[in-house]
Amino acid sequence: MSQQTAAITKIVVRERDRLRSFIRHRVRLEEDADDILQDVFQQLVTSFETIESIERVGAWLFQVARNKIIDRARRGRVDTVTVSSPVEGEDLQLIDILPDPATTRKYPHLREVIFEALEEALLELPDNQREVFVMHEFDGLSFNDIAARTGDGVNTLLARKRYAVIHLRDALNDLYEDLLASESE
């Protein structure tokens, strides 16, 4: 067994249960969770040599899992589950605050309405705030990675993301109130 194969095997054994639990809390079907877990580990194998720090591989795996869940949800290939609170020690992600599509009879339309409203609200943001929000939430980049790409300081990026979130929350507040009212009818 090569050193690389041994290292990958060790990572899989160490992270498998936590990662599966993380994914399972975000998708409705066990088969979907297993598929996503397999996709994550496949990406680990294909990307192993490009991972900068083996110590940060756990965080990298969880980010890949988030991205896979979001990608599948966008394509309609998996039903996500609303999580009332994020797993301890993790940042709240966009997927964690979207309504659970399986609990509403208007799922296809509701999803479309929410993403259209989000897109409109994103377009209202200044370019630098929108860029940080998209890179962090949709592309899954860390603030350090964004700083390396843009040349801006992490604190500046954090402030831009904060302003973006405040604007998006305000812009989407009326929509969410309408959705909650229609759900209670």
Side-chain angles (χ1 to χ4, degrees):
M1 181 183 300
S2 72
Q3 284 185 327
Q4 181 176 340
T5 303
I8 291 171
T9 302
K10 184 177 177 180
I11 292 166
V12 169
V13 168
R14 183 184 69 220
E15 299 293 341
R16 180 181 41 224
D17 292 339
R18 277 185 351 140
L19 194 57
R20 186 171 194 297
S21 176
F22 172 84
I23 295 167
R24 189 67 183 101
H25 281 90
R26 285 159 175 77
V27 299
R28 184 152 312 283
L29 300 176
E30 193 168 334
E31 308 84 66
D32 290 335
D34 291 340
D35 289 346
I36 291 169
L37 182 64
Q38 182 176 350
D39 290 348
V40 170
F41 287 134
Q42 178 62 39
Q43 189 163 340
L44 171 66
V45 170
T46 60
S47 304
F48 188 76
E49 291 179 5
T50 63
I51 299 173
E52 292 178 21
S53 169
I54 199 69
E55 292 81 32
R56 302 237 343 120
V57 76
W60 182 86
L61 287 169
F62 280 86
Q63 190 59 54
V64 169
R66 278 188 199 97
N67 293 344
K68 298 274 184 203
I69 293 166
I70 291 168
D71 288 346
R72 284 178 174 239
R74 283 186 190 144
R75 290 182 301 216
R77 292 178 51 194
V78 66
D79 284 336
T80 57
V81 175
T82 300
V83 178
S84 57
S85 63
V87 176
E88 185 178 321
E90 292 178 16
D91 292 335
L92 184 66
Q93 297 291 312
L94 185 60
I95 196 169
D96 294 328
I97 60 175
L98 292 175
D100 181 1
T103 62
T104 177
R105 53 190 147 75
K106 304 171 200 153
Y107 166 61
H109 177 67
L110 175 62
R111 180 187 204 145
E112 186 177 310
V113 167
I114 290 171
F115 279 105
E116 283 177 11
L118 180 61
E119 283 181 47
E120 285 179 30
L122 281 168
L123 290 173
E124 295 170 356
L125 289 170
D127 290 343
N128 58 7
Q129 290 177 18
R130 181 176 51 250
E131 181 182 56
V132 171
F133 184 86
V134 169
M135 283 195 276
H136 188 252
E137 289 294 329
F138 294 120
D139 298 340
L141 297 176
S142 70
F143 285 104
N144 287 331
D145 291 338
I146 298 169
R149 284 187 180 190
T150 64
D152 296 319
V154 171
N155 287 337
T156 299
L157 297 172
L158 288 167
R160 288 178 184 163
K161 167 97 186 274
R162 180 177 175 275
Y163 289 125
V165 168
I166 290 168
H167 172 75
L168 294 172
R169 186 180 300 138
D170 290 344
L172 297 175
N173 190 43
D174 290 339
L175 173 64
Y176 281 118
E177 287 178 8
D178 290 346
L179 291 173
L180 290 173
S182 69
E183 282 295 306
S184 63
E185 294 174 358

